[in-house]
Amino acid sequence: GAGVSQTPSNKVTEKGKYVELRCDPISGHTALYWYRQSLGQGPEFLIYFQGTGAADDSGLPNDRFFAVRPEGSVSTLKIQRTERGDSAVYLCASSFLSFGDTQYFGPGTRLTVL
Amino acid sequence: AQSVTQPDIHITVSEGASLELRCNYSYGATPYLFWYVQSPGQGLQLLLKYFSGDTLVQGIKGFEAEFKRSQSSFNLRKPSVHWSDAAEYFCAVGGSSNTGKLIFGQGTTLQVKP
């Protein structure tokens, strides 16, 4: 079956611009996660959705970052006034349940801020 | 606070040799522990996970891991490495009852010599 998909696969933007990154989870998965992976590091948690609501957004680095999941399926991560330090691979994962369930990861979106 | 340490940033082994990748965690309660593998251009793939019960866990691709509570460790092993095992390996810990977020280590890059 289809896995987690993310679009675009690559995004190059200029400092100060706004970007949106999209995640399509596995059908039927209620939990959705966003992580950020910088070069040479492990993924770092950003935000977790259970259904339509953000159940844990403790990993968002500041108020320039925002994510939505209006219908409990597709999610969009939004970054305002991008900075060069935002350059990273943004990973999305989904799971059927949340607590302890296996998270299936998408291929990621590589964001480069010039 | 939860944390994961993978002491070895880079490991090189010969094809056919045994492998052990180290993982130490810090967590107040009983953790859920995971090993993921990330190959170039591919998403994170779950190798195995530990929730409870038998402390020796079998995974895919011939990998196993042993949970040792007294040492706060969850080391990954494989008796005979194949060239296709060259990749980056991440240990992760989860377990909060409120969220399924994972805390990842910084990863270990495995190189396999012919």
Side-chain angles (χ1 to χ4, degrees):
Chain A
V4 177
S5 63
Q6 293 186 245
T7 54
S9 56
N10 281 282
K11 177 70 177 178
V12 180
T13 191
E14 294 180 343
K15 179 176 179 295
K17 299 291 188 181
Y18 168 83
V19 297
E20 290 189 351
L21 311 179
R22 176 187 168 105
C23 172
D24 278 275
I26 293 172
S27 178
H29 281 192
T30 61
L32 185 145
Y33 304 83
W34 283 99
Y35 294 84
R36 177 169 70 173
Q37 187 175 19
S38 300
L39 194 63
Q41 301 296 317
E44 177 187 22
F45 170 78
L46 295 176
I47 187 169
Y48 152 62
F49 286 90
Q50 182 59 47
T52 60
D56 183 353
D57 64 358
S58 62
L60 294 178
N62 51 60
D63 61 7
R64 295 187 297 106
F65 288 75
F66 188 71
V68 296
R69 194 185 185 198
E71 298 179 355
S73 179
V74 171
S75 175
T76 304
L77 178 65
K78 308 180 181 192
I79 310 174
Q80 299 177 323
R81 304 183 305 279
T82 51
E83 299 177 358
R84 293 193 179 87
D86 298 335
S87 295
V89 176
Y90 289 81
L91 299 170
C92 177
S94 71
S95 63
F96 182 62
L97 301 172
S98 59
F99 183 45
D101 202 7
T102 297
Q103 294 181 26
Y104 296 88
F105 283 80
T109 294
R110 181 176 298 279
L111 175 66
T112 303
V113 182
L114 301 177
Chain B
Q2 300 174 53
S3 66
V4 176
T5 301
Q6 294 180 246
D8 305 305
I9 295 174
H10 192 108
I11 282 185
T12 300
V13 299
S14 297
E15 190 168 17
S18 63
L19 171 70
E20 182 170 34
L21 302 182
R22 296 184 290 164
C23 173
N24 294 96
Y25 67 89
S26 173
Y27 190 71
T30 300
Y32 290 174
L33 294 159
F34 305 80
W35 275 100
Y36 280 85
V37 61
Q38 187 175 41
S39 299
Q42 298 190 21
L44 286 157
Q45 180 183 23
L46 180 71
L47 286 175
L48 47 77
K49 59 186 179 184
Y50 170 79
F51 286 171
S52 64
D54 193 347
T55 56
L56 184 62
V57 180
Q58 302 298 319
I60 63 171
K61 304 184 180 186
F63 286 93
E64 67 177 25
E66 186 171 12
F67 171 59
K68 293 186 177 181
R69 184 187 301 276
S70 62
Q71 298 178 21
S72 296
S73 70
F74 188 57
N75 294 348
L76 181 72
R77 301 194 293 250
K78 187 170 184 178
S80 178
V81 169
H82 187 262
W83 63 266
S84 61
D85 294 324
E88 189 150 24
Y89 293 79
F90 293 96
C91 180
V93 65
S96 164
S97 60
N98 296 321
T99 174
K101 75 179 183 183
L102 298 179
I103 306 298
F104 284 84
Q106 71 175 89
T108 297
T109 300
L110 173 65
Q111 183 179 1
V112 180
K113 294 190 301 185

